[in-house]
Amino acid sequence: MDPAFERRCSELVARERSGHTAVVLDSLLYVWGGYMVSEIHKYVTRSTELCMNSITPLLRLVFHMAGDVPPSMSGTCGSSLGGNMYIFGGCDDGGQTNQVRMFSVDLTDGQYVWKKILPDSGSAPSHRDKLSCWVYNGKLIYFGGYGHKVLADITSRNRNFILDETSWVDDLFWGWNNEVHVFDPVKGSWAEPQTHGRPPAPRAAHAGATLGRRGYVCGGRVMETRTNDLHCLDLESWTWTEIVPSSAAPVGRSWHSVTAVSESTMFLFGGLSVDCKPMSDGWLFDVETKKWREFEHPYQDKPRYQTDLKGQETKSEPSGQSPENILLFSGHCNDALVFQMQPHPLFRKTSCSDLDMNET
């Protein structure tokens, strides 16, 4: 191991957490942020730590990061573009969504130095967490989330914002939104495209995936409802379409994951059910046939609710505003579940690490 590389590593295994964000780049899994709950208190993990898992061979490292380090956050939306990890949104240890700045870190140079991104034009989205991101045509496209606005913004855009009547402070009003915001890293600009069609209801803690030129939104929470609906946005025409499945669909949920596993298929796993219980079911959805199919896997005893992971966009949903007080749940974990979606190649080299491939 390179000495400079080794100096940045302090631990071999990342600490347990929930509400983190994660991206995949070149078979490496990078994890940042999140929170833990002990019997005494809740705390947010240190923002200077970046955890890396290598799927093959089995390797876990924790790096100490430098530069313009972002504040410690959970519920942040992370995405991978051009070898960089971008983070936006989230909430701090006090449950306040005060993160409207964007940060990035180069995952390819081995330095792991954070950079604060100051936009050259346009207005950033309002404060929010538990949002999602699609990556398309070199841009980061954000959807939804839970956060606060001033009264003037709510009255002028009422259809895009559902007020959480149980939570507001002074002139700040909290709630769920269904807005679409686009960030162009090359131009350093924010934009809010005019969408067409009927958009999904405002929500947070939903799951999203990008297939071709379309961004998909599945489930999520608004007020006391956890949905199982499915929508897609054409990322060129900016037209919304609701997808009505031609088969039985998974039950409503939040904090689940949806990951593109082929050009026409998405994989859904876990989440928090309508009765606030973590789930471990897996489902495949074919966007061409519009059919859901339950997917058998070996992790039925490992329910998860927290983070969506994919190479191009991720999101998570720790919530300081949850009436069920989800943050009191203390069943955090630090393992990564690997789902085999395609048969292994017939010719491959077998090693000891292959025997542990199901869980890294």
Side-chain angles (χ1 to χ4, degrees):
M1 183 181 293
D2 182 85
F5 184 84
E6 189 173 6
R7 282 195 298 271
R8 293 184 174 272
C9 307
S10 62
E11 305 170 54
L12 294 180
V13 180
R15 293 179 295 173
E16 295 85 354
R17 67 190 68 202
S18 295
H20 48 286
T21 188
V23 300
V24 171
L25 180 66
D26 296 333
S27 298
L28 297 177
L29 167 66
Y30 296 89
V31 179
W32 182 84
Y35 70 90
M36 289 184 65
V37 180
S38 68
E39 295 181 357
I40 301 175
H41 65 284
K42 169 216 169 189
Y43 66 89
V44 180
T45 58
R46 292 190 294 268
S47 61
T48 56
E49 293 181 352
L50 180 69
C51 310
M52 183 193 77
N53 287 351
S54 175
I55 298 177
T56 51
L58 184 61
L59 174 67
R60 298 179 180 181
L61 296 173
V62 178
F63 297 98
H64 286 288
M65 309 178 74
D68 293 323
V69 179
S72 297
M73 305 289 284
S74 62
T76 301
C77 183
S79 53
S80 174
L81 175 62
N84 292 279
M85 178 180 183
Y86 293 85
I87 63 168
F88 178 79
C91 64
D92 61 17
D93 198 18
Q96 301 297 311
T97 52
N98 60 358
Q99 171 65 288
V100 295
R101 293 166 293 173
M102 178 175 285
F103 295 81
S104 71
V105 57
D106 191 329
L107 300 177
T108 65
D109 62 5
Q111 300 300 310
Y112 304 107
V113 176
W114 281 110
K115 296 180 181 179
K116 183 190 300 182
I117 299 178
L118 301 176
D120 295 325
S121 62
S123 299
S126 58
H127 301 257
R128 63 193 63 191
D129 63 0
K130 305 183 292 292
L131 64 161
S132 63
C133 178
W134 305 300
V135 175
Y136 179 73
N137 197 24
K139 298 180 178 63
L140 305 173
I141 306 169
Y142 295 95
F143 171 78
Y146 181 95
H148 62 73
K149 294 177 177 288
V150 298
L151 182 60
D153 289 339
I154 297 174
T155 55
S156 64
R157 311 182 57 170
N158 187 55
R159 67 184 181 87
N160 291 332
F161 189 83
I162 294 180
L163 180 66
D164 183 353
E165 298 181 354
T166 66
S167 180
W168 68 81
V169 179
D170 298 327
D171 61 341
L172 296 179
F173 294 81
W174 296 75
W176 299 264
N177 76 82
N178 64 356
E179 299 167 359
V180 176
H181 295 266
V182 180
F183 183 74
D184 187 330
V186 175
K187 297 180 179 179
S189 62
W190 282 103
E192 188 171 1
Q194 177 66 49
T195 62
H196 312 282
R198 184 176 180 179
R203 65 192 63 203
H206 49 282
T210 309
L211 277 77
R213 57 183 282 178
R214 293 178 174 83
Y216 291 82
V217 172
C218 177
R221 177 183 169 184
V222 58
M223 295 187 288
E224 304 307 312
T225 302
R226 289 184 171 91
T227 70
N228 69 344
D229 56 349
L230 185 62
H231 302 258
C232 77
L233 177 64
D234 188 304
L235 302 177
E236 293 188 0
S237 68
W238 302 110
T239 301
W240 281 108
T241 303
E242 181 174 5
I243 300 176
V244 179
S246 58
S247 63
V251 298
R253 65 191 70 202
S254 61
W255 287 33
H256 52 298
S257 69
V258 169
T259 306
V261 294
S262 76
E263 294 181 354
S264 61
T265 309
M266 299 181 293
F267 174 61
L268 178 152
F269 176 71
L272 203 66
S273 67
V274 293
D275 54 355
C276 205
K277 294 181 179 179
M279 296 182 289
S280 60
D281 55 332
W283 295 77
L284 290 168
F285 183 76
D286 189 313
V287 299
E288 296 178 352
T289 63
K290 300 181 181 179
K291 289 184 178 181
W292 285 104
R293 175 172 62 86
E294 192 159 9
F295 179 78
E296 298 297 329
H297 61 82
Y299 305 122
Q300 298 296 334
D301 60 340
K302 294 180 178 292
R304 292 289 193 275
Y305 65 96
Q306 67 196 19
T307 299
D308 182 62
L309 167 66
K310 48 188 71 67
Q312 296 301 314
E313 73 265 9
T314 66
K315 116 234 108 278
S316 33
E317 186 227 343
S319 171
Q321 296 79 32
S322 169
E324 302 92 0
N325 214 357
I326 293 172
L327 289 181
L328 293 182
F329 292 176
S330 57
H332 305 287
C333 55
N334 66 348
D335 57 346
L337 308 182
V338 181
F339 295 86
Q340 185 68 37
M341 294 296 170
Q342 297 177 350
H344 288 293
L346 295 178
F347 297 98
R348 64 178 186 139
K349 188 179 296 184
T350 302
S351 66
C352 293
S353 61
D354 287 333
L355 302 178
D356 297 322
M357 273 296 291
N358 281 335
E359 191 170 333
T360 64

